[in-house]
């Protein structure tokens, strides 16, 4: 019997190696896999490349992982925001690498990785600093930049419901990067608010089919998210 | 001279958005545009984080933590709204499905170039977010901004001095002093002026030649 | 008030021009917009390029459109199948052009068109007849073919439910090419089994958001499909 | 010599599929493989037209017209199954998410090349369907086919004579006479033989050199 549901955070985090590229879902706090990030802090992997929309805020979660010196590089669209104090300290001190990627290119590069597309052309960023050093090509009279797929070793995502085959649904704007990252990583770990019996999720409503998911762990974020 | 207030600028933009358009509103004054679209005129708001049909902020005590806009503020969803993931959301943007995007800017050049994400080439940790995707992808890009910087430097310019967001993307600019079309081969054409503003006063505060319509 | 719902087939078909590229959804009979194809036959546009998975069967629908001499070219993955008699006659007589595209490349080329990606690299077809004349490039030690976006002037699709904003859901394997084609065309026309009031479709369950849809017409395919 | 029947070939393939694999089965003998996976072993079947968790054909009178497989035959969905669109379906295929694809073929070459879609270069209206995507995309490609054509020509060959479907993609071949691994730098390695078949008889009916394991 296939059973992707794990009961402990240690099982959820098993095998994440030093040097991994870790995709972290969420947009701000919404759809952000807080418990899995805490699990990763506990687990100990270091020299990580983290891919997320933001570079962490405050001193917990991703910011804490960075503060512990475990993140070698961050790939994101919006590093500097209210409360991104840890990132800014590390960045000024030259202790963390940064790759800024336009938000849509970031999403599409991961979708491409998941879909077996190694590279694609996009109009985003043409003529800007973020296209420097990249191939630019004219197609049908317009200029495009060649962007490469961005694959993760691990994806940490949050979903609303999950079952033992790894099927997932999301809630409202909690969907954001999560389904895209689920496709793009070798090992996809989902924290879900609700476990469902197999077949309980309407097959027309599944957003991330289980083929993209390796482990599911139930994490109740509390009544305000219920 | 009676410059437009921020609310007046937002209202002026809202006036020009017809029913049925799909619109993405950037952070700042652009966000305020939504409050000035009359309730009976259906304009469908898009948010980069996977929302179509975004509604206004919820009343206090009615906040849904799962529902935020691109600025991470709580919002609501109108009947007929929908949710989707980031790759689909930017497919809508990049694929030219949005009728309009409204952004703020540091500078707009007379050829439509926009600079709105980084203040110097050495500022290697700026925050681009979805600005480049929106500027390159939407059918139309309108900019709302103050006419000059706080220290009086013009923001309508011949050529942007800040790092670019997109080339030749802006088709209209709303400032506290007026409204300008960006016309290919011509430059900034004055469409409207704030009460008491003269063409000469406008030109004086601009870094590129202004044109009268016609 | 936005109202994409049209009541007559003439309204649904209004403005389709000679020479259009028409994307036609469905996989076999499932999710195939039969009534819209009949509407197009009636409407009269000719010199069409039709994009569909198959090249029509029997003497109705797409096959009838071809038999009437209205289709200049067909772009599909599987032209020759049981009952594709009209296509085969026309093809042997040199009266129809054919572009064969691997099924996944066909889907991805339309998804790319909808997503503003003008071209992408794919491993599918490398070293085969279907890659002839196309750019091949080595990326990270593997060969890939460059494929171009495939845009439609019109998409004819079938969905399960639709509302006046054009939001759509699909039923089971009736989804197939329909959501992809909806993204990829200038003018997307959907025939739906059920009209819903605005807000009646759960926003988490919408598959094609209305931004991709221009017209919705109710067509009851009968009790066997209900 | 007692060649495997079609059902035995399908059963032989099924025996080698472990629980938990995501598998796409092509048209013909590959489709029959599903019937030979024991009910208690969970193997998740994928269909190009947007299905995961495909189940067997429905009993007569229980046909759901919305639910067909890639061969357009009525099927069922197992609890835990899901539906998605064609671009997502081929993202699964091209992205290497399928553990296995099983296809029929006209020819398989000793370097793993497969030809299974067109019978001549001049056959300009053949039907490729999803074969090229599956052959290039799945983690493993196994082929099930008769060992020779009806007129006795070998289908295991040094080099394919028919137009290729994919380069170097096949890792295993099941025929009515035996089972063969395709080993890089070595070629066809005999893993199993049908009852009464000798290595010499197999070699005689093959167009490329066969190897014994080890």
């Amino acid at each position: 019997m296939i059973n992707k549901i794990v009961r402990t955070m240690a099982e959820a985090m098993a095998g994440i190696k030093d040097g991994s590229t870790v995709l972290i879902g969420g947009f701000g706090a919404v759809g952000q896999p807080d418990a899995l990030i805490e699990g990763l802090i506990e687990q100990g992997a270091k020299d990580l490349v983290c891919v997320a929309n933001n570079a962490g805020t405050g001193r917990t979660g991703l910011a804490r992982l960075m503060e512990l010196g475990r993140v070698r590089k961050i790939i994101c669209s919006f590093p500097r925001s209210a409360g991104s104090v840890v990132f800014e300290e590390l960045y000024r001190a030259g202790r963390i690498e940064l790759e800024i990627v336009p938000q849509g290119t970031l999403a599409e590069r991961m979708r491409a990785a998941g879909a077996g597309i190694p590279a694609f052309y996009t109009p985003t960023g043409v003529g800007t600093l973020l296209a420097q050093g990249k191939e630019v090509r004219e197609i049908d009279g317009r200029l495009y930049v060649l962007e490469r797929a961005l694959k993760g070793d691990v994806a940490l995502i949050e979903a609303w419901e999950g079952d033992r085959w790894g099927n997932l649904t999301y809630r409202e704007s909690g969907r954001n990067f999560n389904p895209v990252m689920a496709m793009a990583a070798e090992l996809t770990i989902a924290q879900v608010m609700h476990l469902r019996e197999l077949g309980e999720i309407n097959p027309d409503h599944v957003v991330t089919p289980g083929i993209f998911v390796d482990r599911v762990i139930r994490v109740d974020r509390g009544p305000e998210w219920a | 001279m009676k410059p437009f207030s921020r609310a007046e600028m937002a209202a002026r933009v809202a006036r020009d958005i017809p029913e049925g358009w799909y619109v993405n509103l950037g952070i700042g004054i652009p966000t305020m545009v939504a409050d000035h679209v009359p309730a009976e005129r259906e304009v469908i708001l898009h948010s980069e984080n996977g929302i179509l049909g975004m509604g206004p902020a919820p009343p206090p005590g009615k906040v849904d933590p799962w529902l935020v806009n691109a600025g991470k503020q709580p919002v609501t969803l109108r009947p007929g709204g929908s949710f989707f993931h980031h790759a689909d959301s930017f497919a809508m943007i990049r694929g030219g499905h949005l009728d309009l995007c409204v952004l703020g800017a540091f500078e707009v050049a007379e050829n439509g170039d926009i600079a709105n994400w980084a203040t110097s080439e050495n500022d290697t940790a700026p925050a681009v977010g979805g600005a480049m995707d929106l500027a390159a992808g939407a059918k139309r890009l309108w900019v709302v901004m103050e006419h000059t910087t706080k220290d009086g430097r013009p923001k309508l310019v011949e050529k942007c001095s800040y790092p670019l967001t997109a080339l030749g993307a802006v088709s209209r600019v709303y400032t506290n002093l007026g409204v300008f079309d960006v016309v290919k081969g011509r430059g900034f054409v004055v469409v409207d002026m704030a009460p008491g503003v003269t063409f000469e006063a406008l030109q004086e505060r601009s870094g590129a030649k202004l044109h009268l319509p016609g």
Side-chain angles (χ1 to χ4, degrees), chain A residues 86-108:
Chain A
V86 172
F87 167 77
E88 288 178 49
E89 283 165 25
L90 290 170
Y91 188 74
R92 270 195 301 270
R95 287 174 52 215
I96 195 163
E97 290 172 57
L98 172 68
E99 179 179 343
I100 304 173
V101 182
Q103 198 170 134
T105 300
L106 188 64
E108 189 67 14

Side-chain angles (χ1 to χ4, degrees), chain B residues 34-199:
Chain B
D35 301 330
H36 295 275
V37 177
E40 69 280 8
R41 194 198 304 160
E42 289 190 339
V43 169
I44 298 179
L45 298 182
H46 174 269
S47 185
E48 295 95 296
N49 56 321
I51 311 173
L52 266 178
M54 197 167 51
K62 288 277 191 182
V63 169
D64 173 350
W66 293 97
L67 188 42
V68 300
N69 63 14
K72 285 150 196 169
Q73 300 158 315
V75 290
T76 52
L77 193 78
R78 298 178 60 172
S82 55
F83 299 108
F84 34 86
H85 62 55
H86 249 83
D88 281 348
S89 182
F90 280 85
M92 290 175 196
I93 294 170
R94 200 189 306 103
H97 303 280
L98 294 178
D99 295 289
L100 172 66
C101 174
V102 186
L103 293 176
F106 300 141
E107 290 173 327
V108 175
E110 60 188 355
N111 65 353
D113 287 358
I114 172 175
N116 82 341
W117 71 291
T119 49
S120 94
E121 294 228 6
N122 300 322
D123 182 9
T124 46
V128 69
M132 286 188 182
D133 308 275
L134 285 161
K139 280 183 198 151
R140 293 169 194 81
L141 176 61
W142 294 352
V143 165
V144 195
M145 62 182 189
E146 300 296 320
H147 199 87
T148 57
T149 62
K150 275 173 194 148
D151 53 356
R153 278 189 304 130
K155 300 177 72 171
L156 295 182
V157 295
E158 283 184 0
K159 191 171 181 306
C160 293
S161 62
Y162 292 130
L164 294 181
T165 305
L167 303 177
V170 180
S171 60
R172 185 169 267 212
V173 183
Y174 297 78
T175 78
N176 55 329
L177 300 185
V179 180
F180 309 85
D181 274 341
V182 182
V183 178
K184 215 172 176 165
R186 193 145 184 242
F188 295 111
V189 175
V190 181
V191 173
D192 201 357
M193 294 187 277
V197 172
T198 62
F199 182 80

